[in-house]
Amino acid sequence: MAATEADAEPTKVLEFGLGDGTYCLDIGVIDEIVDAGELTRIPNSPDHVEGVMDLRGRTTTIVDPKTLFDIDEEGPRERIVVFDDGEIDEGGTVGWMVDEVFQVRDVSPEDVDQSTTVEDEGVRGIVKSDDRFVVWVSPDVDEELATELEDVEAAEA
């Protein structure tokens, strides 16, 4: 007997803010969350690459997801969500600069509307939550991102 969507286990997600919006990521792809620190800008890097920082001996590329998702609103840019480099295929340690981190919570499959995001690259769905919507995004927003990050990492070496 096949499991139905209603029988599927909930997924733990991390909710965070970008501008005026609330977004979430599967917690399974996240290694840690750190305070935003000083970044070293890389000359000639793509627009979405903010720079690099030393995170416990690892050179970590910091990406601005607002650029990737075409979000214009400003925010405090207080936290960095660092991805588990074993879970995503980005070619090195990568973190997203986010405005703030809200909470970790469970999302059931029936709470995710994918019908409005079928063509949206990097968006897994819209999570219906009480009186608001949370955009569920994927860390591998753009296949070209991995290649661009590899080029940046090669330039650092």
Side-chain angles (χ1 to χ4, degrees):
M1 180 158 133
T4 63
E5 190 172 283
D7 295 336
E9 290 290 318
T11 302
K12 288 201 177 302
V13 298
L14 173 74
E15 289 185 1
F16 59 93
L18 293 174
D20 294 333
T22 303
Y23 299 80
C24 68
L25 285 160
D26 184 330
I27 199 81
V29 300
I30 298 170
D31 185 34
E32 63 182 316
I33 301 161
V34 298
D35 290 333
E38 190 172 326
L39 300 178
T40 301
R41 182 82 178 130
I42 305 297
N44 302 317
S45 62
D47 290 342
H48 60 269
V49 176
E50 290 284 308
V52 295
M53 68 183 294
D54 181 0
L55 190 57
R56 283 180 273 300
R58 297 181 302 177
T59 300
T60 304
T61 303
I62 307 302
V63 171
D64 182 0
K66 289 180 186 176
T67 302
L68 296 173
F69 293 115
D70 198 25
I71 299 169
D72 291 331
E73 295 96 15
E74 292 295 318
R77 301 166 47 97
E78 295 177 344
R79 309 287 280 179
I80 296 174
V81 176
V82 181
F83 296 110
D84 182 345
D85 50 0
E87 292 292 324
I88 63 170
D89 193 23
E90 298 289 344
T93 306
V94 177
W96 277 5
M97 177 78 71
V98 301
D99 292 332
E100 54 189 318
V101 171
F102 300 124
Q103 66 180 343
V104 173
R105 71 180 187 106
D106 289 328
V107 173
S108 299
E110 63 266 13
D111 293 334
V112 181
D113 180 1
Q114 297 174 331
S115 63
T116 58
T117 60
V118 172
E119 299 295 319
D120 291 346
E121 190 174 340
V123 178
R124 294 184 59 183
I126 305 297
V127 180
K128 297 172 271 189
S129 176
D130 299 327
D131 60 344
R132 64 191 174 100
F133 293 105
V134 177
V135 181
W136 189 343
V137 294
S138 174
D140 51 351
V141 175
D142 189 344
E143 291 298 320
E144 293 175 16
L145 178 61
T147 304
E148 291 173 6
L149 289 176
E150 286 173 6
D151 292 344
V152 169
E153 303 254 333
E156 294 167 8

